[in-house]
């Protein structure tokens, strides 16, 4: 017996509602594949994770045509094999403009409360992705002024329209920079490193995951004498706070070189001169050179900088703005080698080799 029309309608609505509770808005729900000790990262409600969106984001991350002239991708400066950093001291944009800062590694950015070296207001990966795309100070990917060329490329490509449709069905698969940034952010959230030897040792309870040297180094790192763990704390070895580690003192009052002075550029507060966000040390052995300006070339040199109470102190004048947590210490060669063995135990080979992060263009 046919159901009365309004009843069929209600049945359809009920079925759709039931479906909506099992399917995320448009697409296959993303399943986190993490060791027991790592919680999934927070995901903004307005950009839910789906398999299709991550796949689109991955392609866009490697897409050279996502730049004005068409030969620079996010991956140009964020190389998977280097834990998504690069080996330049400071980055160079597509027009040859020097970026004042060192490219950052991207492992576990999904968990970070602020992004980049010194911007307390940049808190969403969706917003951050637009900075290299559109930024003019400095120019990185030079999309500003070439938006139409870039979007027209994506709209006429044989592959992208279907991928945007699958990733953003609620939006009619709209191809614009905002959806591109949302997809890239979804891909970045999957870049999780949680299986380094140190993770297995600390969280997995596997004492044998670290060599005796690395274990001694960990004790030094987290101990009171060196005090590294005061700032490099938590699962990603960063407190997400801004500190001045005493690298520079240009004028006896703690100034840093013009154009690269850290948090003060955003707050205007004199005390924020030279304060940078503590970087995560995950995979740090793969990401030289170090510091916001790439001015420290090796891990040995980074340790020497801290031992001196800040590089400026080693050069004769301790910065008056250096954090009291960077007080200097005496360290033997053996201890320095142990500390490096610990820092090397933060390298997560499975992360670097994860084929899910490889370029889809091959
Ligand atoms: C020209 C080189 C270059 C390109 C291209 C580039 N980046 Fe970066 N990236 C950098 C530099 C340099 C920084 C540090 C910026 C700063 O502190 O001002 C950075 C920082 C970041 C951070 C912050 C990481 C953290 O620990 O807070 C993220 C996330 C990021 N980039 C993602 C991207 C994405 C996504 C793209 C492509 C849309 C991209 N980058 C393109 C050089 C680059
Ligand atoms: C006061 C907080 C603080 C303490 C203590 C501290 N760090 Fe740092 N660390 C930072 C900040 C902030 C930076 C970035 C500084 C900059 O670029 O100007 C940094 C950068 C680094 C880097 C470079 C990472 C990169 O990707 O460029 C290494 C390596 C490092 N620290 C290791 C150590 C070690 C080893 C110790 C202990 C001897 C230590 N840190 C103690 C806050 C701290």
């Amino acid at each position: 017996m046919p159901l009365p029309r309004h009843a069929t309608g209600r049945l359809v609505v009920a079925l759709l509602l039931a479906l909506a509770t099992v399917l995320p808005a448009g697409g296959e729900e993303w399943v986190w594949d993490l060791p027991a000790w790592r919680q999934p990262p927070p995901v903004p409600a307005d950009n839910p994770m789906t398999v299709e969106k991550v796949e689109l984001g991955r392609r866009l991350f490697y897409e050279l045509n996502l730049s004005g002239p068409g030969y620079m991708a996010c991956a140009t400066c964020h190389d998977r094999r280097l834990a998504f950093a690069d080996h330049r001291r400071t980055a160079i944009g597509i027009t040859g403009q020097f970026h004042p800062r060192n490219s950052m590694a991207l492992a576990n950015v999904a968990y970070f409360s602020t992004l980049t070296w010194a911007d307390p207001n940049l808190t969403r990966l969706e917003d951050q992705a637009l900075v290299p795309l559109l930024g003019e100070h400095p120019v990185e990917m030079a999309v500003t002024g070439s938006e139409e060329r870039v979007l027209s490329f994506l709209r006429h490509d044989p592959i992208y329209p279907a991928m945007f449709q699958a990733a953003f069905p609620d939006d009619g698969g709209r191809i614009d920079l905002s959806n591109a940034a949302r997809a890239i952010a979804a891909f970045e959230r999957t870049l999780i490193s949680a299986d380094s030897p140190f993770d297995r040792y600390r969280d997995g309870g596997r004492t044998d995951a670290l060599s005796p040297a690395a274990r001694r180094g960990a004790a030094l790192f987290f101990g009171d004498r060196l005090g590294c763990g005061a700032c490099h704390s938590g699962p990603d070895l960063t407190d997400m706070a801004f500190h001045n580690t005493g690298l520079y003192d240009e004028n006896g009052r703690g100034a840093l070189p013009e154009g690269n002075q850290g948090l003060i550029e955003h707050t205007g507060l004199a005390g924020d001169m030279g304060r940078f966000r503590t970087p995560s040390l995950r995979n740090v052995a793969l990401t030289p050179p170090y510091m916001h300006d790439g001015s420290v070339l090796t891990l040995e040199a980074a340790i020497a900088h801290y031992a001196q109470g800040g590089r400026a102190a080693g050069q004769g004048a301790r910065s008056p703005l250096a954090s009291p947590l960077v007080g200097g210490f005496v360290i033997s060669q053996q201890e320095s080698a142990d500390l490096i063995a610990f820092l090397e135990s933060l390298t997560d080979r499975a992360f670097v080799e994860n084929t899910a992060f490889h370029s889809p263009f091959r």
Side-chain angles (χ1 to χ4, degrees):
M1 186 190 87
L3 288 168
R5 235 182 119 189
H6 66 274
T8 343
R10 259 188 245 141
L11 197 65
V12 169
V13 170
L15 272 174
L16 281 176
L17 281 174
L19 260 177
T21 56
V22 292
L23 288 176
E28 188 183 331
E29 191 172 354
W30 180 259
V31 180
W32 299 98
D33 178 19
L34 301 173
W37 55 78
R38 191 82 209 210
Q39 290 296 309
V43 174
D46 59 3
N47 193 21
M49 299 284 291
T50 63
V51 171
E52 293 82 352
K53 200 186 286 173
V54 169
E55 198 45 39
L56 171 63
R58 170 163 82 138
R59 192 174 178 90
L60 291 170
F61 187 88
Y62 286 96
E63 177 57 75
L64 295 168
N65 279 295
L66 202 61
S67 59
Y71 50 89
M72 179 176 269
C74 305
T76 307
C77 301
H78 297 287
D79 183 339
R80 172 185 63 80
R81 292 159 299 178
L82 306 175
F84 293 98
D86 66 13
H87 277 339
R88 293 182 188 280
R89 289 178 75 144
T90 59
I92 302 178
I94 196 165
T95 58
Q97 235 185 72
F98 281 95
H99 193 297
R101 304 254 170 87
N102 179 253
S103 302
M104 301 177 93
L106 299 183
N108 297 11
V109 280
Y111 296 91
F112 295 177
S113 52
T114 72
L115 298 167
T116 70
W117 283 106
D119 190 343
N121 306 317
L122 207 47
T123 59
R124 284 170 53 100
L125 288 168
E126 287 79 358
D127 300 334
Q128 194 285 326
L130 293 172
V131 175
L133 287 172
L134 297 170
E136 298 186 89
H137 308 283
V139 173
E140 291 178 79
M141 298 166 80
V143 174
T144 294
S146 297
E147 288 95 335
E148 279 319 309
R149 189 206 70 76
V150 171
L151 293 176
S152 155
F153 163 79
L154 294 174
R155 287 171 185 150
H156 295 103
D157 184 77
I159 291 175
Y160 280 114
M163 289 188 87
F164 272 84
Q165 184 62 47
F168 299 105
D170 294 353
D171 236 358
R174 204 179 65 239
I175 297 183
D176 61 11
L177 289 179
S178 154
N179 276 348
R182 290 167 75 199
I184 291 173
F187 170 63
E188 289 180 289
R189 290 195 174 94
T190 71
L191 304 178
I192 297 180
S193 165
D195 207 14
S196 66
F198 182 65
D199 288 309
R200 276 177 254 142
Y201 169 82
R202 176 182 57 181
D203 303 310
R206 291 254 318 269
T207 320
D208 63 341
L210 290 196
S211 67
R215 268 182 266 162
R216 289 193 301 270
L220 283 168
F221 186 89
F222 293 107
D224 288 341
R225 177 157 60 96
L226 270 60
C228 315
C231 304
H232 295 286
S233 57
D236 294 314
L237 303 125
T238 163
D239 57 1
M240 281 288 128
F242 299 84
H243 303 278
N244 181 322
T245 65
L247 282 168
Y248 291 94
D249 181 12
E250 298 280 285
N251 62 355
R253 281 174 284 121
L256 270 75
E258 198 71 43
N260 207 3
Q261 301 184 322
L263 189 58
I264 188 175
E265 290 164 9
H266 293 278
T267 64
L269 300 172
D272 288 340
M273 170 66 79
R275 290 175 68 192
F276 291 87
R277 195 205 72 197
T278 310
S280 165
L281 297 185
R282 283 189 175 275
N283 302 298
V284 71
L286 300 178
T287 67
Y290 300 111
M291 309 301 171
H292 65 275
D293 57 357
S295 62
V296 170
L297 302 187
T298 61
L299 289 176
E300 285 87 342
I303 293 169
H305 146 70
Y306 284 110
Q308 292 160 341
R311 185 176 59 202
Q315 294 167 349
R318 179 177 161 87
S319 163
L321 298 177
S323 163
L325 296 169
V326 179
F329 46 81
V330 176
I331 186 166
S332 70
Q333 260 185 1
Q334 174 65 54
E335 288 174 325
S336 184
D338 290 347
L339 194 53
I340 289 174
F342 161 69
L343 293 169
E344 286 170 344
S345 80
L346 301 171
T347 300
D348 181 349
R349 300 286 355 155
F351 172 77
V352 177
E353 282 155 23
N354 191 341
T355 52
F357 307 153
H358 283 213
S359 168
F361 298 98
R362 271 177 312 155

